[in-house]
Each structure stands twice: as structure tokens, then as C-alpha cells.
């Protein structure tokens, strides 16, 4: 990948993600437009103040009638300009907030006052995130307490981590290095200390790092343990359709029909809600008998359960919808 020349503007953070230049381009475009019109307006004020100054006492100004050409022009130009701003903003927004399908997924849990990361291979980190360069990374985030906001200036991206739901953020780092990570939502006494580093590594270095930080369990393995033993989910959600609860193999990403006639997609949020608020979305053909697990599972255990149910996706391809 070709690197953009770095800090040509002092005070600006490095550009280290695939869409960083787009954010900067949009920003400078807005600054340029604002500066251009500021200069014109200020110049016009001075020019008219001098040109139309009072030349004799109690003089009356000439009568002015409307001009269609003038009215049209000063409506059309701002309209066109604001449309370019809107389009530019929309393009950058869509690029940033629609995570690509092939991204590597890392779970993030924010809490007062730290960031916890968990890799799909099981490695856990606090206030540090190691990622490979030139690889799309999707962060699936939530919070254990209040709203936090993950912000990496060098990647020009940020998103809230909100208690009670999953939000996502994605980026593709383009340059190996060490980049500041911030919480960008005031979250209490130690908000300013809720900071860390993102380490962007060459693929080889990343693999070495993974190898040197072996975790005992991947999220999916931990989830399996919870599902089968600790929480006893498996007693109702069996491998067959005969269980008291729906079969979960092959569920992830599929459409689910509910008793109220709605159809929803079984994504991370759906699974999470089904665990915490099972009465909210009852699958067609089943009774509302599942107890809530609210207060009994931590955010990290929820992540593990979600990952386990995701991992069941490929086991049976012929799962009914
Ligand atoms: Cu977390 Cu501010």
C-alpha cells in the first residue's frame, strides 16, 4: 500500500487508515469553503462601507427593486455547494459505518475506566489492541456501565460503546506503528485516563504476538462451556428440533419468524436480546418459557455465548429458516 505523506499540517495526527485521507479531504474542503466566504464577506463589508458612506447630511438612498437574476444566483450557488458537502459527508459516512463482511472481528467491552479487547483466537487485552496491517478489522463494542466512545485519531474514526447493545466500528490500518486510543465520551472521574494504544503490526509480527499470548479458551469455547454446563442452555436448546427451545445450529445470520408475525435477522444484537430479554422476541412455534439471564451473565460472557452460537453456523447447512 502506498502511504500518504504524513504530517504536512502540524498538530494533525498521522493518517494510518484506509479512509483517513477521505476524512481529511472533507475537513479541508469545509475549511476552504468557510475561509473563502469569510474573506469575501469581510471584504464586501469594508468595500460597501466606504463606497456608500454618507456624503452629505440626511441624504436618502436610491430605491432598490428586486432582481430575479441575483436572487436565483444566490440561491443556486449555496444550494449546489451544500449538496457537495452533503454528498462528500454521505460518502465518507457510508464508507466508515458499514463494516465489510470479510472483516476480522474483535470484541470490545468498555467499562469505567478501561477498554477490554478479545480476539477471535482467545487473546485478551486491556487498553492495548494489537492488529495486523492492511487487514479489515471490525470491532463489536458494548459497555458494562455508561456510554464510552472508542476513538483512534490516526484512523479518523470513533464510535460510541453503549450499555445494553452492540455497536460496530471498522478500520483498515495502513501503516505499522503505535497509535493513541481514547475514550471520547465523558464517562466519569477517570474518563481522561481511559486511554490506550493500538499496535499495528506486520502480519508475521501479529502472528508471533498471537502465538506469544495464547489464551486458554477462545470466546466460542468459553461460550460452549457456559451453554452446555454453567447456564444449562443445552437442556432446552438441543441439537434437534424436539427441544423446548429452538435449535440454534445454523441460526446465525438467518431470518427468524416470530410469533407476532415479524421476521428478524439473527445477528449479534438479536442473540444478545434473546438471552437478556427472551420474552421480547418469541420464535414462531415455541412457548415463552425461557427465563431471562439479565444480571447473571457479564458482558464478556454474553460475547462468549454470541460467539459460540455464531460458531454453530456451519455445522448444519440444511437448517430450516
Ligand atoms: Cu469512557 Cu470516557
Amino acid at each position: 500500500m502506498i502511504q500518504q505523506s504524513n504530517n504536512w499540517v502540524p498538530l494533525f495526527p498521522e493518517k494510518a487508515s484506509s479512509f483517513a485521507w477521505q476524512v481529511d479531504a472533507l475537513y479541508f474542503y469545509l475549511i476552504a469553503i468557510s475561509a473563502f466566504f469569510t474573506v469575501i464577506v469581510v471584504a464586501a463589508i469594508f468595500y460597501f462601507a466606504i463606497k456608500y458612506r454618507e456624503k452629505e447630511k440626511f441624504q436618502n438612498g436610491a430605491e432598490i427593486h428586486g432582481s430575479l437574476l441575483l436572487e436565483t444566483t444566490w440561491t443556486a450557488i449555496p444550494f449546489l455547494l451544500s449538496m457537495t458537502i452533503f454528498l462528500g459527508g454521505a460518502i465518507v459516512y457510508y464508507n466508515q459505518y458499514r463494516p465489510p463482511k470479510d472483516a476480522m472481528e474483535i470484541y470490545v467491552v468498555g467499562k469505567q475506566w478501561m477498554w477490554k479487547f478479545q480476539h477471535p483466537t482467545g487473546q485478551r487485552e486491556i487498553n492495548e489492541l494489537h492488529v495486523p496491517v492492511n487487514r479489515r478489522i471490525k470491532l463489536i463494542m458494548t459497555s458494562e456501565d455508561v456510554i464510552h466512545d472508542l476513538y483512534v485519531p490516526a484512523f479518523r474514526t470513533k464510535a460510541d460503546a453503549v450499555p445494553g447493545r452492540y455497536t460496530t466500528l471498522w478500520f483498515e490500518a495502513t501503516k505499522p506503528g503505535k497509535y493513541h486510543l481514547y475514550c471520547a465520551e465523558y464517562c466519569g472521574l477517570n474518563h481522561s485516563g481511559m486511554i490506550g494504544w493500538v499496535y499495528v503490526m506486520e502480519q508475521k509480527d501479529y502472528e508471533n504476538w498471537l502465538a506469544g499470548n495464547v489464551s486458554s479458551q477462545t470466546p466460542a469455547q468459553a461460550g460452549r462451556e457456559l451453554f452446555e454446563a454453567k447456564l444449562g442452555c443445552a437442556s432446552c436448546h438441543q441439537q434437534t428440533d424436539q427441544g423446548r427451545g429452538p435449535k440454534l445450529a445454523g441460526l446465525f445470520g438467518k431470518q427468524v419468524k416470530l410469533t407476532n408475525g415479524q421476521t428478524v435477522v439473527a445477528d449479534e444484537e438479536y442473540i444478545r436480546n434473546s438471552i437478556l430479554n427472551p420474552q421480547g422476541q418469541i420464535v414462531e412455534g415455541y412457548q415463552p418459557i425461557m427465563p431471562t439471564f439479565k444480571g447473571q451473565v457479564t458482558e464478556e460472557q454474553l460475547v462468549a455465548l454470541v460467539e459460540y452460537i455464531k460458531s454453530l453456523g456451519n455445522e448444519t447447512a440444511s437448517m430450516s429458516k
Side-chain angles (χ1 to χ4, degrees):
M1 269 235 165
I2 302 162
Q3 302 301 339
Q4 280 90 34
S5 67
N6 10 358
N7 292 342
W8 53 280
V9 181
L11 298 180
F12 250 66
E14 262 186 287
K15 283 198 278 290
S17 77
S18 56
F19 47 56
W21 70 271
Q22 298 174 352
V23 178
D24 286 9
L26 183 65
Y27 178 75
F28 285 117
Y29 178 62
L30 293 174
I31 292 285
I33 288 182
S34 309
F36 177 75
F37 283 103
T38 305
V39 168
I40 288 193
V41 167
V42 169
I45 288 172
F46 278 95
Y47 174 75
F48 289 136
I50 291 164
K51 178 159 188 215
Y52 295 111
R53 68 190 184 279
E54 195 178 49
K55 289 179 187 140
E56 52 183 83
K57 282 277 170 213
F58 311 118
Q59 186 185 9
N60 278 329
E63 256 183 58
I64 298 171
H65 298 279
S67 157
L68 189 64
L69 179 70
L70 202 59
E71 299 267 354
T72 314
T73 312
W74 73 37
T75 306
I77 292 177
F79 173 72
L80 291 175
L81 273 177
S82 51
M83 286 320 280
T84 63
I85 295 171
F86 167 73
L87 263 182
I91 290 169
V92 176
Y93 182 84
Y94 273 108
N95 284 340
Q96 283 212 5
Y97 290 100
R98 286 189 312 181
K101 286 237 150 60
D102 57 350
M104 175 176 142
E105 294 180 347
I106 295 176
Y107 281 92
V108 182
V109 178
K111 65 175 273 192
Q112 290 170 319
W113 286 276
M114 64 177 79
W115 292 106
K116 298 192 280 190
F117 300 95
Q118 190 168 19
H119 294 252
T121 37
Q123 287 77 3
R124 289 160 178 277
E125 306 187 68
I126 288 179
N127 294 342
E128 287 192 345
L129 173 62
H130 291 74
V131 292
V133 72
N134 296 333
R135 177 94 181 265
R136 289 156 170 183
I137 312 285
K138 174 180 169 187
L139 304 180
I140 302 176
M141 315 198 293
T142 189
S143 164
E144 269 179 35
D145 35 50
V146 298
I147 301 178
H148 303 277
D149 187 292
L150 191 92
Y151 177 34
V152 185
F155 298 165
R156 304 290 193 277
T157 192
K158 53 152 73 162
D160 280 358
V162 182
R165 57 172 295 193
Y166 290 130
T167 55
T168 57
L169 180 67
W170 86 274
F171 59 84
E172 178 182 335
T174 51
K175 215 190 309 184
K178 184 180 172 192
Y179 305 103
H180 255 304
L181 160 77
Y182 296 96
C183 178
E185 179 67 51
Y186 183 68
C187 57
L189 195 62
N190 257 337
H191 158 71
S192 62
M194 195 167 162
I195 52 175
W197 296 98
V198 180
Y199 294 87
V200 176
M201 312 170 93
E202 297 289 354
Q203 183 64 34
K204 253 217 177 90
D205 297 333
Y206 178 68
E207 276 157 24
N208 285 340
W209 180 84
L210 281 182
N213 286 274
V214 179
S215 149
S216 53
Q217 279 183 319
T218 67
Q221 286 164 348
R224 185 190 190 113
E225 210 173 279
L226 288 164
F227 190 88
E228 290 179 347
K230 286 186 196 147
L231 299 176
C233 316
S235 65
C236 290
H237 295 283
Q238 295 167 356
Q239 303 288 330
T240 66
D241 281 326
Q242 312 311 315
R244 278 183 291 170
K247 184 170 91 170
L248 302 181
L251 170 71
F252 191 78
K254 293 267 164 60
Q255 306 261 328
V256 179
K257 243 190 145 172
L258 306 178
T259 45
N260 64 9
Q262 274 187 322
T263 305
V264 294
V265 175
D267 56 4
E268 287 96 353
E269 191 75 33
Y270 169 80
I271 296 173
R272 181 200 155 88
N273 282 335
S274 297
I275 297 167
L276 296 180
N277 182 21
Q279 306 300 322
Q281 294 174 309
I282 303 292
V283 178
E284 196 181 57
Y286 289 91
Q287 294 301 310
I289 51 172
M290 176 166 160
T292 174
F293 285 83
K294 206 176 229 154
Q296 299 177 50
V297 282
T298 65
E299 284 300 336
E300 276 149 288
Q301 288 173 322
L302 277 168
V303 161
L305 285 165
V306 168
E307 273 298 286
Y308 171 62
I309 290 162
K310 273 166 101 167
S311 76
L312 297 173
N314 305 323
E315 286 180 12
T316 38
S318 61
M319 168 72 187
S320 61
K321 288 194 176 171

